[in-house]
Amino acid sequence: MSISNSSQNISVNYSINWFFRKVITTIADLRLAILLLLIIAFFSISGTVIEQNQPINYYQENYPESPALFGFLTWQVLLAIGLNHVYTTWWYLSILVLFGSSLIACTFRRQLPALKAAKIWSFYEESRQFNKLALSAEVTTQSLDNINSIITQKGYQVYQNDHSLYAQKGISGRIGPIIVHIGMILVLLGAIWGAFTGFFAQEMIASGETFTIQNFLEAGKFSNLNHAQSFDIKVNNFWIKYTPDGAVDQFYSDLSVVNKTGEELERKTIFVNQPLRYNGITFYQTNWSISGVKIQLNNSTICQLPMVELTSERKGRIWGTWIPTKPDLSEGISLITKDLQGTMFLYDMEGKLISAVRPNMPVEVNGITLKVLDLIGSTGLQIKSDPGVPLVYLGFALLMIGVVMGYVSFSQIWALQEGDRYFIGGKTNRAQVAFEKEVYQILEQL
């Protein structure tokens, strides 16, 4: 009975080990790694082409059911698959994990054994062993020491015994692929870590206001949102620089990081491609708007009215508000503007143009004196936290270093003394022509 149980245990263990080896072999297959890399590249490109993290009505407008893009891609399909947030979907992260596992398996099954084999001294003991080398010859020389001296001058690391010699150089060429794999694994880990711990938010804040990050569009499962809300941001000022023809050249936001007691912790003027970074959170300048207008009717108290962005038939951006000219709100005028340069247009209730005005320029409307004092701009901020970025940067640095190291040829040379006969030969894993020239130079010196 005991013998039977032992046989069963051995059989089960053998089956488990066979299955495990089979899985590792499949995962380490180069063809699978290439396929996964192509899939990752395809969906990464789709995440670049398809706008990410937009409201549902945006996708409904741009990806309608009829006509469907490519005959099948509608907003419903897009949202169901998760193409509106590709980089944080479970299936995209699963592909990254599988690709990383493939790289790790390939590293341990192929690259590390190849490096280990390259570091082992392997002397040739018989002249017939030189027949299998691409380059080999019988030479006339005085001793192995003479061959040793010439090969050493070529930068080889030489190992010698009484009758044999082995030399190699370019071991970094064997290390390079391992560094590449480590770099790619770090990039994948950084992407996954950022997806689980980062967040993405957007805010539109009027000049002069202070805000706490609230409008989170996307947040990882382990994101620390309390940290993001432990301080406030004050928009000290917002302004736009225009080109001579009136187009927007650049827009700027003067931001201050303040604690909950109002103490300023950091301050910076940001613009496109020049963000503010604080405690792992980055504030990008991405948009702008007009939030309000300050007016005065006759000699009354200055008041501020909100402005809203209106749809233009010519697809241009315009903002407008309604200014009541009677206490009962029975009469009023519309104020329209397209930028912060100061030119505004007044229309009556029938839509007829009354006048074009500039800041602090009084105008008579419906029996009262109207003075538009100032337009209030608002800054559009994109706020992002991605703790995986340092890992990604480190991974790409190692990736570039590994690629450069991988171009180094790993060359090996053997020499053997049999009585008064001397044999020499070698091989390399790349740059065959350059290696042949080097070997011919060695032979000429011998």
Side-chain angles (χ1 to χ4, degrees), residues 76-93:
Q76 292 175 324
V77 174
L78 190 145
L79 296 181
I81 299 176
L83 294 180
N84 59 323
H85 57 101
V86 171
Y87 307 113
T88 55
T89 58
W90 67 267
W91 49 265
Y92 184 81
L93 296 176

Side-chain angles (χ1 to χ4, degrees), residues 290-362:
I290 302 176
S291 62
V293 58
K294 291 183 179 180
I295 65 168
Q296 185 179 34
L297 299 177
N298 293 328
N299 294 319
S300 64
T301 304
I302 297 173
C303 63
Q304 179 175 320
L305 298 176
M307 298 193 71
V308 295
E309 187 170 357
L310 306 175
T311 302
S312 172
E313 294 181 359
R314 297 182 179 180
K315 304 298 182 181
R317 299 183 71 187
I318 59 173
W319 289 262
T321 189
W322 190 71
I323 304 173
T325 55
K326 284 190 176 182
D328 60 1
L329 307 182
S330 60
E331 291 186 6
I333 59 173
S334 298
L335 184 146
I336 304 295
T337 186
K338 66 174 183 177
D339 52 41
L340 290 172
Q341 296 188 86
T343 302
M344 295 156 280
F345 301 91
L346 300 178
Y347 294 86
D348 62 19
M349 297 184 66
E350 296 179 356
K352 295 180 180 180
L353 178 64
I354 299 175
S355 175
V357 297
R358 301 278 298 174
N360 295 308
M361 179 179 133

Side-chain angles (χ1 to χ4, degrees), residues 32 88 131 263 303:
L32 175 63
T88 55
N131 295 331
E263 179 184 0
C303 63

Side-chain angles (χ1 to χ4, degrees), residues 250-251 270-275 285-286:
Q250 186 64 273
F251 36 97
I270 69 170
F271 51 93
V272 176
N273 297 328
Q274 286 294 326
Q285 179 75 75
T286 58

Side-chain angles (χ1 to χ4, degrees), residues 381-394:
L381 300 177
Q382 185 180 95
I383 306 163
K384 187 176 182 181
S385 173
D386 191 348
V389 166
L391 275 178
V392 173
Y393 286 168
L394 176 60

Side-chain angles (χ1 to χ4, degrees), residues 30-51:
L30 180 61
R31 293 170 295 181
L32 175 63
I34 293 175
L35 176 62
L36 293 174
L37 186 59
L38 291 175
I39 294 174
I40 292 172
F42 174 78
F43 285 110
S44 297
I45 293 172
S46 72
T48 303
V49 175
I50 299 175
E51 297 79 358

Side-chain angles (χ1 to χ4, degrees), residues 148-289:
N148 188 332
S149 176
I150 295 174
I151 294 177
T152 301
Q153 293 176 9
K154 296 293 184 180
Y156 284 83
Q157 186 175 5
V158 182
Y159 308 93
Q160 182 180 342
N161 60 18
D162 293 337
H163 61 281
S164 296
L165 178 149
Y166 170 71
Q168 67 175 23
K169 73 173 181 179
I171 191 68
S172 60
R174 293 292 191 184
I175 301 175
I178 299 175
I179 301 298
V180 169
H181 283 196
I182 294 174
M184 296 180 72
I185 291 170
L186 287 178
V187 171
L188 295 175
L189 288 177
I192 295 172
W193 181 248
F196 279 105
T197 61
F199 67 81
F200 175 79
Q202 286 184 339
E203 300 286 353
M204 185 69 73
I205 307 299
S207 179
E209 292 188 2
T210 300
F211 71 96
T212 302
I213 305 173
Q214 299 286 347
N215 188 28
F216 294 98
L217 299 181
E218 186 175 344
K221 187 175 182 179
F222 304 111
S223 299
N224 186 4
L225 301 184
N226 291 330
H227 167 69
Q229 297 177 327
S230 62
F231 58 89
D232 296 330
I233 299 294
K234 181 180 180 181
V235 181
N236 300 304
N237 194 13
F238 171 77
W239 69 97
I240 297 178
K241 181 181 178 181
Y242 294 92
T243 61
D245 60 358
V248 175
D249 181 34
Q250 186 64 273
F251 36 97
Y252 303 84
S253 294
D254 179 9
L255 304 180
S256 290
V257 180
V258 296
N259 59 22
K260 294 302 180 180
T261 61
E263 179 184 0
E264 186 176 82
L265 304 176
E266 189 166 339
R267 184 169 182 170
K268 183 178 181 180
T269 297
I270 69 170
F271 51 93
V272 176
N273 297 328
Q274 286 294 326
L276 165 66
R277 292 183 173 88
Y278 180 77
N279 277 6
I281 301 175
T282 306
F283 297 82
Y284 297 93
Q285 179 75 75
T286 58
N287 202 353
W288 67 278
S289 184

